[in-house]
Amino acid sequence: NQDNQKMILPVDGLTVYFPYSHIYPEQYHYMLELKKSIDARGHCILEMPTGTGKTITSLSLITSYQLAHPEVGKLIYCTRTVPEMEKVLEELKVLVAARKKEIPGENPKMLGIGLSSRKNMCVNEKVKESALPEANSGNKNSRSAVDAKCRNLTASWVRTAAATNKNIELCDYFERYEKMDSDTIMPLGVYTLEDIREFGKAKGWCPYFLARRMIQFANVVVYNYQVCLSKKLLIIYFILYLSLSIYLSIY
């Protein structure tokens, strides 16, 4: 089938799985330059016209590179907004589904997750309600309200006090999360923020902390580029993977 054959592209010696039957010349050239940079373990700045498919082009090249060279480590994909983050993860879903069709009998390991704030990932109704007054008034402090309420239910000193005082309220989702086995892994697949929330809610586990734990198992991690500017978050999330990961920021 000609359309299916177009999903497999030779790019400078690398077999690249591309989920669509047509590719722009700019996309192919972008792949070539991106591969050269990864081969060199260096930095690069690439420009491509708006609407020519930067997201799927970069995902196709890098996940194919991961498949051929597992030692390259994770893809850390940075976006500016949460909707952009969700778009990347949806594109990754399409790519993974297409790749499975092109590799008969194989199920390449792929775990893709998105990371975001407590406000965007919390499923505890009481915590979410704490931010409603600020959110309804258009106050940007709604995120801070969720963060504060979450910490009041999950902080170590609060949990220690709750062991002897049953009147102290805790978060059931966090308590069940804490009882998980340390090597528990989410089923392979690609998870948008909504997917992680639904999975966590079904299991009774906190989606926010679950996503953070899954970083160590994930092939692709998508998050807001501002995380790169936070020394605290950088240490928490990525200190173990700095020498192995591919960082990609799309504007």
Side-chain angles (χ1 to χ4, degrees), residues 177-185 205 213:
Y177 159 82
E178 282 287 281
K179 294 176 182 177
M180 288 170 45
D181 293 334
S182 59
D183 59 350
T184 297
I185 304 177
W205 301 334
R213 180 179 289 189

Side-chain angles (χ1 to χ4, degrees), residues 14-45:
L14 176 70
T15 299
V16 174
Y17 297 91
F18 190 75
Y20 302 116
S21 59
H22 176 77
I23 183 169
Y24 294 115
E26 294 89 349
Q27 289 177 300
Y28 188 78
H29 183 66
Y30 187 99
M31 288 185 184
L32 285 170
E33 296 302 320
L34 189 53
K35 181 179 182 296
K36 290 178 184 178
S37 297
I38 299 174
D39 285 341
R41 298 293 192 269
H43 303 285
C44 71
I45 298 176

Side-chain angles (χ1 to χ4, degrees), residues 5 27 30 42 52 83 89 104 114-115 117 140 144 150 160 171 191 201 208 222:
Q5 290 176 353
Q27 289 177 300
Y30 187 99
T52 48
L89 291 164
L115 297 177
S117 65
K140 295 182 179 180
S144 298
C150 175
T160 298
C171 175
Y191 295 83
K201 194 169 186 177
Y208 174 75
V222 184

